Amino acid sequence: MTHDIISTAMGKFKISSYFLFILWIITFPWVFSGCQAIQMQFISESERYRIEADELARNDRNAEAILAYRQAIIHDENNFLALKSLAKLYASQGRGRLALLQANKALKLTPDDSDLLVLEQSLKTLSPSNSQLKLRWQSFVVESPPTGVVADEQQIYATFENGIAAGLELTTGKIIWKVKLASKITSSPVLAQGLLWFGLQDGSILAISHLDGSTQYSFGTTAPIYAPPLVTPELIYCPSSDGVLYALTYPKPAISWAYKTGSALRSSPNLYDGKLYFGSANGRLFALNAQDGTPFWQYGILTQGAVESQPIVFDGRILFGSSDGRVYSLSAQTGGEYWRFSTPDGVFASPLILDNTVYIASIGQTLAAADFLTGDTLWEITTSNALLHKPLIDGQILYYTTTADPHLFAVDIQNGRSLWDLDTGDWIAASPILAQENLVLAGKDGSILVYSR
């Protein structure tokens, strides 16, 4: 009898234990999640961002992880783990200068961290290159991506996304002046009329003095400006993403005429033989009378994608790229098509023309040369990443850069054969330019680099 009672009790205990185990399995994730939520309430805002960044990095969401790490550091500049992780992540992307900056900050907090000491040493060791370029100087302006650079005989001028514009001495890299504007800068700059012109996120077109950065001219549109204006002695032609091309008077800003396209304008117009040529996000290339805005082609010339490369006019023809992956060659007078050249993806960089050869850069990882008259392929190479910025020709060398890559590449313009590549230390944010006997690059970390040729 006693044995039966014990057996019954043990059976009930097993059943109860089984149900308790099942209940534990069901409720554990909620309990664990609740404990995590309670724990998160007692850690700092900086640590919350760091933990979030770690999770993003584990899932290869690196761009988001970088933003989260940066937020962690904004909330606590002494967050060692965030600084260390950010340094490693930048280094894995080839962004050596930014990685070294974060590593140095972390080492000030923990000088004997072996991982960081090894990383620091590797970042200070430059990759070997047979480049003929020699770094003359590099100058860090501000930790913000540049929107572009231009130069004259004495200075280099740079604009940055966070609203900073600066003038640097060409020979030394010394910052002569630096101003902070009320709005973010959204276009590359141009030099004209002794002023530096560019567009802002608030829809303004702005011109500042090249001597001290003081504002000299401004005009407001209703949407961000993603391309600099075309400045002539008579009028200022300003493309806006509100879909309107504005013709403005100078020096007192007022609308002389305006032409509505109905879609965003994201590239500068070009002037040839009294006509303005410009593209629109609606896939059309327009031609207007430069004096009064009268259209020469009633509806424009239609492509199958947004036209965001600045048109180039040469020998009576107009050439431009489209996001449909093609470069078009048209009659500048009638708009009639001579040829079209196809690439694997959109063409946002303006074509280059030299000695009856057209050089084409596509985000479809293609760099090509085509015959100016026929459009026939002369040579074509596949690049490691997308080509977004306009290449540069210097003698027999064509320089190009690709997205998310710190290298400047050099190829022979005759056949596309690789000559060399140069690790510049960070991703390159704008088209390379020439200034006197120098080549100028803008790094995405906010540095300007000058190489002697």
Side-chain angles (χ1 to χ4, degrees), residues 389-447:
H389 303 301
K390 184 177 180 179
L392 172 69
I393 294 177
D394 182 19
Q396 295 300 302
I397 298 177
L398 186 147
Y399 299 108
Y400 73 90
T401 64
T402 65
T403 59
D405 194 307
H407 291 86
L408 175 71
F409 298 91
V411 298
D412 189 318
I413 64 170
Q414 299 298 327
N415 51 31
R417 180 176 60 87
S418 175
L419 300 175
W420 48 260
D421 62 82
L422 173 66
D423 187 344
T424 67
D426 196 18
W427 296 353
I428 301 170
S431 299
I433 66 168
L434 296 178
Q436 303 294 69
E437 295 302 314
N438 305 288
L439 185 143
V440 183
L441 294 175
K444 197 168 183 180
D445 65 325
S447 294

Side-chain angles (χ1 to χ4, degrees), residues 304-324:
Q304 300 305 307
V307 179
E308 297 185 21
S309 81
Q310 183 183 26
I312 301 299
V313 184
F314 179 77
D315 198 21
R317 297 191 184 190
I318 181 164
L319 284 79
F320 62 97
S322 169
S323 65
D324 65 10

Side-chain angles (χ1 to χ4, degrees), residues 183-187 198-206 219-227 238-246 262-266:
S183 177
K184 291 183 177 180
I185 298 174
T186 45
S187 88
F198 48 86
L200 302 180
Q201 190 179 58
D202 67 6
S204 299
I205 184 69
L206 196 68
F219 178 85
T221 74
T222 61
I225 306 291
Y226 292 113
C238 174
S240 173
S241 58
D242 64 11
V244 179
L245 180 68
Y246 297 88
S263 295
L265 308 180
R266 300 193 182 101

Side-chain angles (χ1 to χ4, degrees), residues 5 15 86 136 155 199 206 238 256 284 293 347 360 379 443 451:
I5 293 173
I15 294 172
L86 185 56
R136 187 171 180 181
Q155 293 187 47
L206 196 68
C238 174
S256 176
R284 297 178 184 274
V347 178
I360 296 165
W379 56 259
Y451 294 86

Side-chain angles (χ1 to χ4, degrees), residues 254-329:
I255 297 177
S256 176
W257 56 261
Y259 186 84
K260 297 180 179 180
T261 68
S263 295
L265 308 180
R266 300 193 182 101
S267 61
S268 300
N270 206 335
L271 178 63
Y272 175 78
D273 196 25
K275 297 184 182 68
L276 280 174
Y277 299 94
F278 63 99
S280 171
N282 63 12
R284 297 178 184 274
L285 180 81
F286 295 92
L288 310 178
N289 183 297
Q291 293 301 314
D292 59 18
T294 303
F296 283 93
W297 309 325
Q298 185 174 5
Y299 302 109
I301 304 299
L302 181 64
T303 74
Q304 300 305 307
V307 179
E308 297 185 21
S309 81
Q310 183 183 26
I312 301 299
V313 184
F314 179 77
D315 198 21
R317 297 191 184 190
I318 181 164
L319 284 79
F320 62 97
S322 169
S323 65
D324 65 10
R326 301 183 180 97
V327 168
Y328 293 81
S329 175

